[in-house]
Each structure stands twice: as C-alpha cells, then as structure tokens.
Amino acid sequence: MKEKEWIGVDIGGSKIAVVRGTAQGEIVEKRKLKTGVFKGWKEALEAISGAGEEIKNENCSAVGISCGGPLDIKGGYILSPPNLPGWDRVPIVEWLEKKLSLPAYLQNDADACALAEWKYGAGKGMHHFVFGTFGTGMGMGLILNDRLYTGRNGGAGEIGHMRMNPCGPVGYGKVGSFEGFCSGGGMAVLGQMMALAAIQRGEAPLYCKNKKELPSVTAEEIAKAAFKGDRTALEVFAQTGKRLGEGLAVLMDVLNPDGIALGSIFARCENLLRPAMEKALEEETLPGNRCPVFPAALGEQIGDVAAVCVAMEGRGRKA
C-alpha cells in the first residue's frame, strides 16, 4: 500500500506555492506562481488548480490552503486580505474541490504554520505551543491541549490587533498596535520616525542619509545597519524588542504555553531583539508562567509544510 500524500496551496501577496507532501513533512513536488501576474482571482485559481492537477497523483487524499486573513474558514472563502486586493469572497474551497476532485480545507496562515512547527519543527513534543508570524504582519497560531485552537469563527490568535501604546506605528488599522511595533512594515515606520529625529540632530543613520530617503526605508535596511552597529538602527530593534516582550508576556500569563516560536524577522534578527525582549518579559510576566521563546525551525519551507498540514488536519471545510 502506497503512503498517503496531500496537496498544499500556500497563498501570499507576492507568490503562491502548490506542493505535494508526505506525513513526514517532506515536500516531494512543487510549483511556484507569482501572484501579481494574474488579472484577478479567477485567473489565479485557474493557475493554482492547473498546478494542482500537474502534481496530483493517486495517493493524494486532500488539499490544504494556507492564506492570510480575513477568511471564512467554515464557508471556505477568502475575504479581501490586505495583501490580495480584489480577492473579495473568493470561494477557493469549492473551486479546488471541483477542479481536483478532492476535499479541500482552508486555514489562516498563522494557524497553518503553528501546525507545521508543532508537528515537525520548534514545537514538536509540546502540548501547549504558540507560533507567531512576525513578518509582513503579526498573528499567532495556538496549539492548546494538543489541538489547534481557532476560536468561535477562526479569529483566535489575532494578537497583532492588541494596542500596546496610544502612539506608534499603525498595524491592523490601529495606532500603536502590537503589529504596528512588531512587523516589517511597522518597524519601517518606526525606523523612519527615528531617522528623521536623528537627521534633525545631524546624526543621520546608515540606513537613511537624508529626508529624501525616508519613504524608502525598510526593516531589512534597518537590520543591515543594526548589524553594523548603527546607533539609531539598534534603537529601533530595542524598541521593537521591548514591545515584543510586553506582548508575549500577555500570552504567557493568559495561555501559559510550553513555548513560543517566532518566524521571519525574529528568526533572522534574534540577537538584535532578544535583550530588550527578555528584559520586558522579566518585568511583565509572572515568574511561573515564563516559557522559552525561540526562532521557528522550518525556515523558508514553513509555508509549504504548513499548507500540507492543513490538508492533513482536515478541519474548516464547510458542512
């Protein structure tokens, strides 16, 4: 008897991956698509289903879809995510079920990545585990009592919406939110604000030499400057690390997990963020509730494995 396999579809604002994977977390075949080349969601879904047909075989038992929210998980719809303009109430589950003749399941990307890290990565063996995206946005996937917890309507874990301060960068449409401080876009805004103040003092940072360069500041450029020891860039990471620790302290005290894994920016810049984060955790968390915080382990493969995990989990399909 041949081993079961699953198809995974990882949808992002710039790229889409359609993969086939195994129960061991191995990706055995993959197709890459560029999101921006399609003239609308119908054309994109045609390409996704076409790629799925190419890699599908007789061992495939389901399709898993990982996508940033908002989503209607039970209904199987994508509901206008910020990074997918025009994708308004897209019936992706129904579409792929018809095209691929397999049951399809949809999950928020943070939840999907939590499943992947729990099964195969940093959270393996833990009963209560939290995964945070910390990239373009900040969302959390929750594994509680050995099960993915998504809440009443799939909205659990949206900690990025929590306000950390009355002032600060905007994230989730909210000034001073957790995502505003702890995301690539939020860090870029924070870096612009600090660079402007430094330029006015006559101390332009490495990542922004003058006011004309302010709009082009990115988190990546700030990180490069910080690794070179630039004072303003290091202060951006200190501020972000402090807010990160304050937000994680709330999670630790409310959920009491075994561990928290963070992806993207934290995985690449852990040394820049950890000192301020640990200081905030020490000040804000009940001592008995402190738990380890570590980088996600699956690296660039996490989105592919996450989508396959959604298919394996088999939750969220409309009744």
Side-chain angles (χ1 to χ4, degrees), residues 14 237 252:
S14 60
F237 275 90
M252 290 180 188

Side-chain angles (χ1 to χ4, degrees), residues 172-197:
Y172 261 86
K174 182 181 283 187
V175 173
S177 67
F178 193 23
E179 180 171 289
F181 284 104
C182 299
S183 67
M187 290 182 69
V189 173
L190 192 61
Q192 290 165 7
M193 295 164 60
M194 292 186 176
L196 178 59

Side-chain angles (χ1 to χ4, degrees), residues 12-80:
S14 60
K15 59 187 178 180
I16 299 168
V18 183
V19 304
R20 190 175 81 245
T22 71
Q24 285 71 47
E26 179 188 4
I27 302 301
V28 295
E29 197 163 358
K30 179 173 180 174
R31 298 289 186 273
K32 297 179 182 179
L33 306 170
K34 291 185 178 179
T35 314
V37 303
F38 302 115
K39 295 179 181 178
W41 65 263
K42 288 184 180 180
E43 189 174 302
L45 293 198
E46 285 286 2
I48 290 170
S49 53
E53 285 285 4
E54 289 178 10
I55 65 174
K56 176 186 170 186
N57 62 24
E58 67 276 9
N59 303 324
C60 293
S61 58
V63 181
I65 307 147
S66 170
C67 183
L71 309 172
D72 176 356
I73 291 174
K74 291 183 179 179
Y77 293 93
I78 297 172
L79 304 175
S80 299

Side-chain angles (χ1 to χ4, degrees), residues 301-317:
Q301 197 181 27
I302 188 169
D304 300 343
V305 178
V308 172
C309 284
V310 174
M312 292 172 61
E313 181 79 0
R315 292 177 55 191
R317 185 166 174 243

Side-chain angles (χ1 to χ4, degrees), residues 125-140:
M126 295 184 182
H127 301 294
H128 316 285
F129 169 68
V130 175
F131 169 82
T133 54
F134 201 171
T136 304
M138 171 57 84
M140 297 283 176

Side-chain angles (χ1 to χ4, degrees), residues 21-237:
T22 71
Q24 285 71 47
E26 179 188 4
I27 302 301
V28 295
E29 197 163 358
K30 179 173 180 174
R31 298 289 186 273
K32 297 179 182 179
L33 306 170
K34 291 185 178 179
T35 314
V37 303
F38 302 115
K39 295 179 181 178
W41 65 263
K42 288 184 180 180
E43 189 174 302
L45 293 198
E46 285 286 2
I48 290 170
S49 53
E53 285 285 4
E54 289 178 10
I55 65 174
K56 176 186 170 186
N57 62 24
E58 67 276 9
N59 303 324
C60 293
S61 58
V63 181
I65 307 147
S66 170
C67 183
L71 309 172
D72 176 356
I73 291 174
K74 291 183 179 179
Y77 293 93
I78 297 172
L79 304 175
S80 299
N83 63 340
L84 295 171
W87 288 50
D88 184 22
R89 200 164 177 78
V90 175
I92 190 166
V93 166
E94 181 181 11
W95 182 292
L96 292 182
E97 285 185 339
K98 286 182 178 178
K99 294 287 186 177
L100 300 179
S101 301
L102 292 171
Y105 306 92
L106 175 65
Q107 282 290 355
N108 177 280
D109 55 355
D111 292 335
C113 289
L115 282 171
E117 285 287 342
W118 177 57
K119 288 178 179 292
Y120 306 110
K124 192 172 182 179
M126 295 184 182
H127 301 294
H128 316 285
F129 169 68
V130 175
F131 169 82
T133 54
F134 201 171
T136 304
M138 171 57 84
M140 297 283 176
L142 312 176
I143 304 293
L144 304 177
N145 295 316
D146 295 308
R147 286 180 60 84
L148 177 66
Y149 178 78
T150 58
R152 173 177 54 83
N153 62 0
E158 297 289 11
I159 194 170
H161 193 247
M162 180 174 69
R163 196 185 302 277
M164 306 294 293
N165 194 279
C167 302
V170 176
Y172 261 86
K174 182 181 283 187
V175 173
S177 67
F178 193 23
E179 180 171 289
F181 284 104
C182 299
S183 67
M187 290 182 69
V189 173
L190 192 61
Q192 290 165 7
M193 295 164 60
M194 292 186 176
L196 178 59
I199 290 168
Q200 290 171 339
R201 294 194 307 267
E203 302 171 356
L206 290 176
Y207 64 86
C208 184
K209 298 295 180 60
N210 53 61
K211 292 181 181 180
K212 290 182 180 179
E213 294 182 359
L214 284 170
S216 61
V217 168
T218 65
E220 182 179 1
E221 292 302 317
I222 297 169
K224 289 178 182 178
F227 280 119
K228 292 177 181 177
D230 181 79
R231 187 171 70 175
T232 304
L234 288 170
E235 180 58 25
V236 173
F237 275 90

